[in-house]
Amino acid sequence: MLYIGCHLSASKGYMHMGKEADGIGANTFQFFTRNPRGGSAKAIDEEDVKAFLEFMKEKNWKYILAHAPYTLNACSAKEETRDFALRTMKDDLARMEYTPNQLYNFHPGSHVGQGTETGIELIINQLNECLTPDMTTTVLLETMSGKGSEVGGRFEELRAIIDGVKLNEKLGVCLDTCHIYDGGYDIVNDLDGVLDEFDRVIGLDRLRAIHMNDSKNPFESHKDRHEKIGEGSIGFDTMVKIINHPKLQGIPVFLETPNELDGYAKEIKMLRDAYKEQ
Ligand code: FE
Ligand code: FE
Ligand code: ZN
């Protein structure tokens, strides 16, 4: 079973996203919990969520993935920015409980000159304040390209965060193909080697979502510029290997490529056509 979708605008609510995803051949989707540049979130429309949960059940959909705003930086050097990150994540996680047992992804953050170790410590502190024993959401750390002072460009950094979090059974990882290729993990020439490395350092059981993006830049460029599937330095063949890889079956795949809906529909069809049911 291939769970595949793309990033959608959340401005018209859950049911709208569900129908939109269904209309382009998707069976999951990603959305921002609020404006990606920050700010407050719209109040949850309980009727809309209820209808959407019903729709998911009818369609046999398993996952949706919420993405935290880019401005959320748990390891900023500024206390006020860290405070915003903490309040935003707490609020997002409370909202996530309207759609139980789903996935919430965030960028670990940028340490802005404080050093990776301090960055990791601050991220751990935030997660220890936000995660609660009774929450049903799995919080995903996204693999990053390592541009600027980003934390999470190495699998070891994500491991260190997981190790420091008390309730780390609530944590998983979202693997972004553009980011890790930019970050120096050669999924084009050695996909099995990269997956072995992920398994050794983090554990494949933590891998809960894949962001499938091609890259505008060459291997190890630490740039983070997404390209359409098959039009960048990673290429279509590697994407096909990923969706068909026996170790990656059942993990939902989300496109964050530079596309409007029709472009996403085309990429979803291309990938579905290349998928072999196992
Ligand atoms: Fe992201
Ligand atoms: Fe991503
Ligand atoms: Zn990116």
Side-chain angles (χ1 to χ4, degrees), residues 30 67 70 105-107 142 144 176 179 211 226 256:
Q30 173 179 270
H67 196 305
Y70 294 142
N105 174 63
F106 79 110
H107 295 177
E142 182 165 352
M144 302 310 291
D176 188 307
H179 296 177
H211 281 168
H226 302 184
E256 301 175 305

Side-chain angles (χ1 to χ4, degrees), residues 15-76:
M15 197 60 203
H16 184 85
M17 289 188 282
K19 293 236 161 102
E20 206 162 59
D22 192 44
I24 57 170
N27 52 0
T28 183
F29 58 85
Q30 173 179 270
F31 62 102
F32 282 122
T33 54
R34 62 192 71 220
N35 184 311
R37 303 274 155 220
S40 58
K42 271 203 324 202
I44 295 265
D45 175 346
E46 294 194 32
E47 288 304 308
D48 176 44
V49 182
K50 225 193 276 168
F52 173 66
L53 290 176
E54 207 44 54
F55 180 81
M56 271 189 92
K57 218 191 283 166
E58 269 165 38
K59 293 274 172 191
N60 254 315
W61 290 8
K62 212 165 157 187
Y63 302 107
I64 53 170
L65 174 60
H67 196 305
Y70 294 142
T71 44
L72 189 151
N73 186 7
C75 60
S76 169

Side-chain angles (χ1 to χ4, degrees), residues 109-137:
S110 293
H111 65 67
V112 286
Q114 302 174 97
T116 306
E117 249 173 71
T118 303
I120 287 171
E121 215 174 286
L122 291 169
I123 296 159
I124 290 169
N125 290 348
Q126 163 153 339
L127 288 167
N128 278 333
E129 287 211 42
C130 288
L131 305 186
T132 59
D134 52 336
M135 65 187 266
T136 66
T137 303

Side-chain angles (χ1 to χ4, degrees), residues 129-177:
E129 287 211 42
C130 288
L131 305 186
T132 59
D134 52 336
M135 65 187 266
T136 66
T137 303
T138 302
V139 175
L140 307 184
L141 303 159
E142 182 165 352
T143 60
M144 302 310 291
S145 69
K147 73 169 185 294
S149 66
E150 266 174 0
V151 178
R154 307 299 309 164
F155 295 161
E156 285 79 4
E157 295 168 13
L158 300 180
R159 176 79 251 171
I161 296 169
I162 292 166
D163 284 340
V165 173
K166 285 184 215 111
L167 293 171
N168 69 19
E169 69 272 19
K170 309 284 183 190
L171 291 180
V173 171
C174 172
L175 185 145
D176 188 307
T177 56

